[in-house]
Amino acid sequence: MSVIDLRSDTVTQPSAGMLEAMAGARTGDDVYGEDPTVNQLEADLAQRLGFAAALFVPSGTMSNLLGLMAHCERGDEYIVGQQAHTYKYEGGGAAVLGSIQPQPLEFQDDGSLDLAQVAAAIKPDDFHFARSRLLALENTMQGKVLPLAYLAQARAFTREHGLALHLDGARVYNAAVKLGVDAREITRHFDSVSVCLSKGLGAPVGSVLCGSEQLIAKARRLRKMVGGGMRQAGILAAAGLYALEHQVQRLADDHANARLLADGLREAGYSVEPVQTNMVYAQVGDRAEALKAFAGERGIRLGAASRLRMVTHLDVSRAQIEQVVDAFAEFSRN
Ligand SMILES: *Cc1c(COP(=O)(O)O)cnc(C)c1O
């Protein structure tokens, strides 16, 4: 039985072409700056996203942490969404390791932060307060694409208030493909961007932080400090280069599959949120555990939550989505 794993787009296996690229990678010791493939990936992604420099790191969590720590000093503050990965899902790293205070705010329905609320949260220059230093956005945010006009507003707003602007762009390529624009149209508004190669792009490991020369030099020092300096990492960077070359435009297939899944589940009677990219959220109430077990017997891996997240990716085909819809329909009849 072939497994259909919808828990996340992190579960993809490297394709044959990707493995070949990895096996043929030229490598060196990247802590000495001598891995030609890592250097190529960093230069390539910086260029693609319109930045002066970039840094290859083992995970998106580290990439965001280094970005926040490169912008903020001890006692500074970053403003961030309550459900943002950089606040809720990274072990409190910015606070624990960076001594940076988070100021979380509720996201709006479209995945943006209301700039009037952000303005109200900025602390005056007064020694009672942490120093508000940075605004962190996320795109896509639970599958939602931030409007380009909002990004321009956020850029103007942060300039006006003297804040830096960081993007957790774990899935920024999903956003770009959805909008049908070059990813730069999104990233040009930010001082720094973290991109995951290991999500929908399909690489086994790795994220990249992009920013100015100065910011990335600082992040490079911090990467060593937190233990993220890797040696012959070109094997991994080669997978990232392959993904950027061959597996960006195909994200549109994942988005089409997500829509197909959502439509099928709605038809089967489930309440499903509108889909923009590769994430489908369905309300399954208190049957989450039963559904997970039922699906599991049919080779379908799901999480277990009343608001169930299903993520499409390059290892899930259109035919498999149809199988999933059939299984959900059968479950709802029982
Ligand atoms: C996955 C993810 C990260 C972190 O990436 P890891 O490689 O899992 O550490 C950061 N932000 C968002 C939005 C993510 O989905």
Side-chain angles (χ1 to χ4, degrees):
M1 185 166 63
S2 74
V3 172
I4 306 169
D5 195 340
L6 295 175
R7 292 172 303 166
S8 177
D9 49 6
T10 54
V11 301
T12 57
Q13 296 290 330
S15 60
M18 181 177 278
L19 286 169
E20 203 175 307
M22 294 171 76
R26 289 169 55 228
T27 59
D29 189 329
D30 180 50
V31 174
Y32 288 103
E34 291 172 2
D35 188 301
T37 311
V38 171
N39 292 341
Q40 189 190 340
L41 173 66
E42 292 177 347
D44 185 87
L45 201 55
Q47 195 271 331
R48 280 174 195 263
L49 300 185
F51 288 92
L55 183 68
F56 184 52
V57 297
S59 71
T61 298
M62 188 182 289
S63 184
N64 281 323
L65 174 68
L66 301 186
L68 293 172
M69 287 180 71
H71 283 294
C72 301
E73 301 298 330
R74 187 177 168 82
D76 287 352
E77 170 185 87
Y78 70 113
I79 301 171
V80 63
Q82 281 285 1
Q83 308 298 325
H85 206 283
T86 48
Y87 172 58
K88 191 172 176 185
Y89 297 97
E90 297 183 0
V96 175
L97 302 167
S99 301
I100 308 163
Q101 162 172 292
Q103 167 61 68
L105 299 174
E106 284 300 331
F107 278 116
Q108 302 190 98
D109 286 344
D110 68 356
S112 67
L113 290 172
D114 179 69
L115 295 176
Q117 280 181 33
V118 176
I122 296 174
K123 316 283 181 287
D125 181 7
D126 173 325
F127 60 58
H128 291 85
F129 303 125
R131 290 172 299 251
S132 304
R133 262 297 290 144
L134 176 129
L135 175 62
L137 298 175
E138 189 171 314
N139 195 12
T140 62
M141 159 39 207
Q142 299 192 352
K144 292 172 188 168
V145 180
L146 298 184
L148 290 177
Y150 172 77
L151 300 183
Q153 286 163 13
R155 175 73 284 180
F157 172 91
T158 49
R159 280 220 177 93
E160 187 189 332
H161 290 88
L163 300 180
L165 186 58
H166 173 75
L167 179 66
D168 178 354
R171 298 186 179 83
V172 70
Y173 276 104
N174 292 84
V177 166
K178 171 65 184 180
L179 292 173
V181 300
D182 189 294
R184 252 187 234 221
E185 290 303 309
I186 297 170
T187 56
R188 69 190 180 89
H189 297 293
F190 293 87
D191 297 304
S192 54
V193 175
S194 166
V195 183
C196 285
L197 301 166
S198 58
K199 301 279 169 83
L201 293 179
V205 177
S207 288
V208 177
L209 179 69
C210 297
S212 67
E213 291 279 3
Q214 199 187 3
L215 190 91
I216 295 302
K218 199 170 166 193
R220 196 175 289 280
R221 163 175 280 276
L222 292 163
R223 183 184 69 173
K224 191 75 186 91
M225 190 181 83
V226 298
M230 297 184 285
R231 303 297 177 174
Q232 283 70 37
I235 291 172
L236 301 174
L241 282 164
Y242 182 90
L244 290 168
E245 192 64 31
H246 300 284
Q247 297 183 166
V248 172
Q249 289 313 318
R250 64 149 307 286
L251 291 170
D253 301 343
D254 299 342
H255 301 171
N257 281 339
R259 282 198 305 277
L260 187 71
L261 178 59
D263 291 346
L265 296 189
R266 269 189 217 107
E267 217 162 292
Y270 292 85
S271 166
V272 183
E273 296 172 24
V275 168
Q276 293 187 26
T277 56
N278 69 333
M279 293 194 189
V280 178
Y281 286 90
Q283 301 298 336
V284 298
D286 54 9
R287 302 187 77 195
E289 282 293 348
L291 176 59
K292 178 184 171 176
F294 181 90
E297 285 161 16
R298 287 153 185 80
I300 301 163
R301 280 204 193 150
L302 302 176
S306 58
R307 181 175 178 250
L308 179 64
R309 184 186 82 160
M310 287 160 282
V311 189
T312 56
H313 51 75
L314 87 174
D315 287 345
V316 180
S317 68
R318 190 183 163 90
Q320 289 177 315
I321 292 295
E322 286 164 358
Q323 265 174 261
V324 174
V325 170
D326 289 345
F328 271 69
E330 192 186 335
F331 180 76
S332 70
R333 286 192 300 268
N334 287 340

